[in-house]
Amino acid sequence: MRITESTENYMEAILVLQQQNGEVRAVDVAHYFGFSKPTISQYMKQYAQQGLIEVDGNGHITLTGEGRAIAEPIYERHQVITAVFTALGVPEEIAREDACKVEHDLSDVTFQCMKAHYQQYMHQRGGSQD
């Protein structure tokens, strides 16, 4: 299965919403993206059929192992790239928006180098290593 940027965004959103709220429903994902609930429900049905999420009888959405394997690396990229941009002086909101644009297209080699450089920078400053 080819993973699209859209799929990465949805898996990441579900992960973030689970961390924030403990449980996720289609309406939460709709609010997160500013889309209609019927649109999101169609995507959730598709992702359930692909084995990326499970939806229980109460409409609660959880990531499967495969869905989590997509969500976690993208979320890590988002966090690290946001932190790098912020460390460069980019205002936090803009850094988050720009990270969202870049996280999907950056090669793994470039991301790993960026992450290592940022961790070294934070270590030298005596700060935490996001």
mmCIF file of all heavy atoms in Angstrom, residues 1 11 41-55 62 64 66:
data_model
loop_
_atom_site.group_PDB
_atom_site.id
_atom_site.type_symbol
_atom_site.label_atom_id
_atom_site.label_comp_id
_atom_site.label_asym_id
_atom_site.label_seq_id
_atom_site.Cartn_x
_atom_site.Cartn_y
_atom_site.Cartn_z
ATOM 1 N N MET A 1 0.845 -1.188 0.000
ATOM 2 C CA MET A 1 0.000 0.000 0.000
ATOM 3 C C MET A 1 0.887 1.247 0.000
ATOM 4 O O MET A 1 1.798 1.379 0.805
ATOM 5 C CB MET A 1 -0.901 -0.021 1.245
ATOM 6 C CG MET A 1 -1.593 1.288 1.498
ATOM 7 S SD MET A 1 -2.745 1.356 2.896
ATOM 8 C CE MET A 1 -1.924 0.529 4.197
ATOM 9 N N MET A 11 -3.377 10.020 10.065
ATOM 10 C CA MET A 11 -2.837 9.163 11.128
ATOM 11 C C MET A 11 -2.199 10.015 12.223
ATOM 12 O O MET A 11 -2.377 9.758 13.413
ATOM 13 C CB MET A 11 -1.821 8.162 10.563
ATOM 14 C CG MET A 11 -2.386 7.159 9.565
ATOM 15 S SD MET A 11 -3.748 6.160 10.159
ATOM 16 C CE MET A 11 -5.116 6.908 9.255
ATOM 17 N N SER A 41 -15.868 10.862 7.901
ATOM 18 C CA SER A 41 -16.402 9.507 8.079
ATOM 19 C C SER A 41 -16.041 8.616 6.898
ATOM 20 O O SER A 41 -15.726 7.433 7.072
ATOM 21 C CB SER A 41 -17.912 9.553 8.277
ATOM 22 O OG SER A 41 -18.215 10.178 9.506
ATOM 23 N N GLN A 42 -16.067 9.164 5.684
ATOM 24 C CA GLN A 42 -15.677 8.392 4.499
ATOM 25 C C GLN A 42 -14.212 7.971 4.585
ATOM 26 O O GLN A 42 -13.870 6.829 4.291
ATOM 27 C CB GLN A 42 -15.910 9.206 3.231
ATOM 28 C CG GLN A 42 -17.363 9.365 2.867
ATOM 29 C CD GLN A 42 -17.539 10.216 1.609
ATOM 30 O OE1 GLN A 42 -16.731 11.099 1.324
ATOM 31 N NE2 GLN A 42 -18.589 9.936 0.863
ATOM 32 N N TYR A 43 -13.358 8.910 4.985
ATOM 33 C CA TYR A 43 -11.935 8.587 5.133
ATOM 34 C C TYR A 43 -11.725 7.541 6.213
ATOM 35 O O TYR A 43 -10.934 6.612 6.048
ATOM 36 C CB TYR A 43 -11.106 9.838 5.454
ATOM 37 C CG TYR A 43 -10.763 10.665 4.247
ATOM 38 C CD1 TYR A 43 -11.374 11.888 4.015
ATOM 39 C CD2 TYR A 43 -9.804 10.230 3.342
ATOM 40 C CE1 TYR A 43 -11.049 12.654 2.908
ATOM 41 C CE2 TYR A 43 -9.467 10.992 2.229
ATOM 42 C CZ TYR A 43 -10.101 12.204 2.023
ATOM 43 O OH TYR A 43 -9.770 12.954 0.917
ATOM 44 N N MET A 44 -12.422 7.676 7.327
ATOM 45 C CA MET A 44 -12.248 6.736 8.424
ATOM 46 C C MET A 44 -12.685 5.330 7.998
ATOM 47 O O MET A 44 -12.033 4.341 8.349
ATOM 48 C CB MET A 44 -13.022 7.178 9.669
ATOM 49 C CG MET A 44 -12.518 8.490 10.296
ATOM 50 S SD MET A 44 -10.759 8.503 10.723
ATOM 51 C CE MET A 44 -10.116 9.621 9.471
ATOM 52 N N LYS A 45 -13.744 5.233 7.214
ATOM 53 C CA LYS A 45 -14.195 3.940 6.700
ATOM 54 C C LYS A 45 -13.107 3.325 5.817
ATOM 55 O O LYS A 45 -12.782 2.146 5.927
ATOM 56 C CB LYS A 45 -15.498 4.106 5.918
ATOM 57 C CG LYS A 45 -16.058 2.804 5.408
ATOM 58 C CD LYS A 45 -17.384 3.022 4.690
ATOM 59 C CE LYS A 45 -17.914 1.704 4.154
ATOM 60 N NZ LYS A 45 -19.158 1.868 3.417
ATOM 61 N N GLN A 46 -12.529 4.150 4.961
ATOM 62 C CA GLN A 46 -11.455 3.699 4.074
ATOM 63 C C GLN A 46 -10.253 3.222 4.880
ATOM 64 O O GLN A 46 -9.688 2.159 4.598
ATOM 65 C CB GLN A 46 -11.057 4.840 3.140
ATOM 66 C CG GLN A 46 -9.875 4.548 2.248
ATOM 67 C CD GLN A 46 -9.422 5.793 1.477
ATOM 68 O OE1 GLN A 46 -10.129 6.787 1.385
ATOM 69 N NE2 GLN A 46 -8.223 5.733 0.935
ATOM 70 N N TYR A 47 -9.857 4.007 5.889
ATOM 71 C CA TYR A 47 -8.686 3.639 6.695
ATOM 72 C C TYR A 47 -8.945 2.383 7.528
ATOM 73 O O TYR A 47 -8.036 1.579 7.746
ATOM 74 C CB TYR A 47 -8.243 4.807 7.573
ATOM 75 C CG TYR A 47 -7.701 5.975 6.770
ATOM 76 C CD1 TYR A 47 -8.033 7.275 7.105
ATOM 77 C CD2 TYR A 47 -6.874 5.770 5.675
ATOM 78 C CE1 TYR A 47 -7.548 8.348 6.365
ATOM 79 C CE2 TYR A 47 -6.388 6.834 4.933
ATOM 80 C CZ TYR A 47 -6.730 8.119 5.281
ATOM 81 O OH TYR A 47 -6.242 9.172 4.543
ATOM 82 N N ALA A 48 -10.172 2.191 7.966
ATOM 83 C CA ALA A 48 -10.526 0.970 8.692
ATOM 84 C C ALA A 48 -10.413 -0.240 7.754
ATOM 85 O O ALA A 48 -9.881 -1.287 8.141
ATOM 86 C CB ALA A 48 -11.931 1.085 9.270
ATOM 87 N N GLN A 49 -10.876 -0.089 6.529
ATOM 88 C CA GLN A 49 -10.782 -1.173 5.545
ATOM 89 C C GLN A 49 -9.328 -1.499 5.212
ATOM 90 O O GLN A 49 -8.995 -2.644 4.926
ATOM 91 C CB GLN A 49 -11.546 -0.809 4.270
ATOM 92 C CG GLN A 49 -13.041 -0.800 4.457
ATOM 93 C CD GLN A 49 -13.788 -0.236 3.247
ATOM 94 O OE1 GLN A 49 -13.208 0.387 2.358
ATOM 95 N NE2 GLN A 49 -15.101 -0.441 3.225
ATOM 96 N N GLN A 50 -8.469 -0.498 5.264
ATOM 97 C CA GLN A 50 -7.041 -0.700 4.990
ATOM 98 C C GLN A 50 -6.287 -1.223 6.210
ATOM 99 O O GLN A 50 -5.100 -1.519 6.126
ATOM 100 C CB GLN A 50 -6.402 0.611 4.529
ATOM 101 C CG GLN A 50 -6.889 1.086 3.188
ATOM 102 C CD GLN A 50 -6.358 2.468 2.826
ATOM 103 O OE1 GLN A 50 -5.748 3.164 3.635
ATOM 104 N NE2 GLN A 50 -6.605 2.878 1.593
ATOM 105 N N GLY A 51 -6.971 -1.313 7.351
ATOM 106 C CA GLY A 51 -6.340 -1.831 8.561
ATOM 107 C C GLY A 51 -5.485 -0.822 9.303
ATOM 108 O O GLY A 51 -4.650 -1.202 10.119
ATOM 109 N N LEU A 52 -5.687 0.468 9.038
ATOM 110 C CA LEU A 52 -4.894 1.505 9.701
ATOM 111 C C LEU A 52 -5.523 1.976 11.009
ATOM 112 O O LEU A 52 -4.822 2.468 11.895
ATOM 113 C CB LEU A 52 -4.696 2.701 8.767
ATOM 114 C CG LEU A 52 -3.971 2.400 7.454
ATOM 115 C CD1 LEU A 52 -3.909 3.649 6.584
ATOM 116 C CD2 LEU A 52 -2.587 1.844 7.724
ATOM 117 N N ILE A 53 -6.844 1.864 11.102
ATOM 118 C CA ILE A 53 -7.568 2.256 12.310
ATOM 119 C C ILE A 53 -8.637 1.221 12.609
ATOM 120 O O ILE A 53 -8.993 0.404 11.754
ATOM 121 C CB ILE A 53 -8.249 3.645 12.176
ATOM 122 C CG1 ILE A 53 -9.337 3.601 11.082
ATOM 123 C CG2 ILE A 53 -7.233 4.744 11.941
ATOM 124 C CD1 ILE A 53 -10.241 4.821 11.065
ATOM 125 N N GLU A 54 -9.134 1.273 13.847
ATOM 126 C CA GLU A 54 -10.298 0.494 14.243
ATOM 127 C C GLU A 54 -11.318 1.471 14.799
ATOM 128 O O GLU A 54 -10.945 2.455 15.465
ATOM 129 C CB GLU A 54 -9.932 -0.533 15.301
ATOM 130 C CG GLU A 54 -9.022 -1.629 14.775
ATOM 131 C CD GLU A 54 -8.593 -2.618 15.841
ATOM 132 O OE1 GLU A 54 -8.812 -2.357 17.048
ATOM 133 O OE2 GLU A 54 -8.036 -3.662 15.458
ATOM 134 N N VAL A 55 -12.582 1.214 14.520
ATOM 135 C CA VAL A 55 -13.668 2.050 15.030
ATOM 136 C C VAL A 55 -14.602 1.129 15.806
ATOM 137 O O VAL A 55 -15.121 0.157 15.244
ATOM 138 C CB VAL A 55 -14.430 2.763 13.887
ATOM 139 C CG1 VAL A 55 -15.511 3.668 14.457
ATOM 140 C CG2 VAL A 55 -13.471 3.553 13.005
ATOM 141 N N THR A 62 -9.261 4.203 17.032
ATOM 142 C CA THR A 62 -7.916 3.934 17.543
ATOM 143 C C THR A 62 -7.034 3.511 16.380
ATOM 144 O O THR A 62 -7.505 2.900 15.414
ATOM 145 C CB THR A 62 -7.903 2.828 18.622
ATOM 146 O OG1 THR A 62 -8.519 1.655 18.085
ATOM 147 C CG2 THR A 62 -8.627 3.265 19.874
ATOM 148 N N THR A 64 -4.321 1.240 14.596
ATOM 149 C CA THR A 64 -3.786 -0.120 14.663
ATOM 150 C C THR A 64 -2.261 0.006 14.713
ATOM 151 O O THR A 64 -1.715 1.114 14.599
ATOM 152 C CB THR A 64 -4.184 -0.930 13.418
ATOM 153 O OG1 THR A 64 -3.589 -0.311 12.273
ATOM 154 C CG2 THR A 64 -5.693 -1.022 13.273
ATOM 155 N N GLU A 66 -0.282 -0.792 12.396
ATOM 156 C CA GLU A 66 0.123 -0.243 11.099
ATOM 157 C C GLU A 66 -0.142 1.263 11.028
ATOM 158 O O GLU A 66 0.673 2.026 10.506
ATOM 159 C CB GLU A 66 -0.622 -0.963 9.979
ATOM 160 C CG GLU A 66 -0.055 -0.714 8.614
ATOM 161 C CD GLU A 66 -0.700 -1.568 7.528
ATOM 162 O OE1 GLU A 66 -1.324 -2.599 7.852
ATOM 163 O OE2 GLU A 66 -0.585 -1.185 6.350
#
